[in-house]
């Protein structure tokens, strides 16, 4: 059997890391600090120190934040002690406003998705895109049929002759638009 290896003595870098870990424990919200790393020196107010994640966030002024890895800290100087390990005021999350924003975002995505025809040709989608630019609030898909101004319908093969309904002046305008898309795709 092999003899057990002697316990490892900490080397200079391990000792420095252990000392630095003790110093990093002193980082508290609101403390003004100067941190020297391999990459430069940072001075600011501690916004957050997450030792498990190994990072410190400093407010360096002018609404700018700097993220510093605790593993890269070579020297830490506390210029002015802060208020404690957390913010003085309680952070509250307004769930109601988050739900409203989520609902609005979902609604916006659904409106965008409704503009895409399912099982239609590229020409049909081009015609729809042209129609929705002209009539943004009254153009929609109903299956493979484009509904324009609620009373006009344009179905496959999406030519001017396929338009039904509508008033005469509206009908002529929509037919010209469909013709222009047909000419562009031909």
């Amino acid at each position: 059997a092999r003899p057990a290896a002697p316990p490892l003595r900490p080397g200079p870098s391990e000792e420095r890391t252990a000392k630095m870990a003790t110093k990093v424990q002193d980082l508290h919200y609101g403390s003004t600090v100067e941190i020297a790393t391999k990459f430069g020196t940072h001075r600011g107010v501690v916004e957050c120190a997450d030792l498990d994640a190994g990072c410190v966030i400093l407010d360096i002024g002018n609404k700018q934040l700097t993220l510093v890895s605790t593993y890269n800290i070579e020297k830490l100087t506390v210029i002015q002690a802060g208020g404690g390990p957390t913010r003085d005021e309680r952070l509250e999350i307004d769930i109601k406003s988050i739900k409203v924003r989520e609902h609005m975002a979902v609604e916006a995505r659904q409106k965008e998705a409704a503009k895409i025809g399912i099982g239609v040709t590229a020409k049909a989608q081009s015609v729809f895109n042209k129609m929705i630019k002209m009539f943004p609030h009254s153009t929609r898909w109903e299956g493979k049929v484009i509904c324009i101004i609620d009373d006009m319908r344009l179905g496959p093969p999406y030519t001017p002759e396929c338009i039904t309904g509508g008033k005469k002046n509206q009908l002529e305008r929509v037919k010209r638009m469909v013709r222009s898309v047909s000419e562009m795709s031909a």
Side-chain angles (χ1 to χ4, degrees), residues 79-129:
I79 298 166
Q80 182 179 351
T86 59
R87 289 182 180 234
D88 294 335
E89 74 273 6
R90 286 239 175 239
L91 294 177
E92 292 184 21
I93 298 173
D94 185 0
I95 299 296
K96 186 176 180 181
S97 69
I98 291 172
K99 288 197 178 285
V100 167
R101 286 177 55 198
E102 176 189 27
H103 177 73
M104 289 170 45
V106 168
E107 212 171 71
R109 293 289 182 220
Q110 287 172 338
K111 284 181 183 177
E112 287 301 311
K115 294 178 184 177
I116 300 170
I118 298 171
V120 299
T121 63
K123 176 185 174 188
Q125 189 64 53
S126 295
V127 170
F128 180 87
N129 293 345

Side-chain angles (χ1 to χ4, degrees), residues 9-63:
R9 286 188 21 225
S13 84
E14 286 87 6
E15 286 175 5
R16 186 180 64 77
T17 303
K19 286 178 187 174
M20 194 52 60
T22 305
K23 269 237 171 190
V24 169
Q25 296 288 342
D26 295 335
L27 288 171
H28 296 295
Y29 171 78
S31 297
T32 303
V33 296
E34 185 171 278
I35 299 174
T37 69
K38 305 173 202 179
F39 309 106
T41 302
H42 308 280
R43 184 181 181 140
V45 178
V46 176
E47 279 294 313
C48 175
D50 188 338
L51 305 180
D52 294 330
C55 64
V56 178
I57 298 174
L58 298 178
D59 180 348
I60 59 172
N62 294 331
K63 298 181 181 180

Side-chain angles (χ1 to χ4, degrees), residues 148-164:
I148 310 150
I149 316 174
D150 292 326
D151 60 346
M152 274 192 274
R153 304 277 187 268
L154 173 58
Y158 308 100
T159 61
E161 296 76 31
C162 297
I163 301 172
T164 59

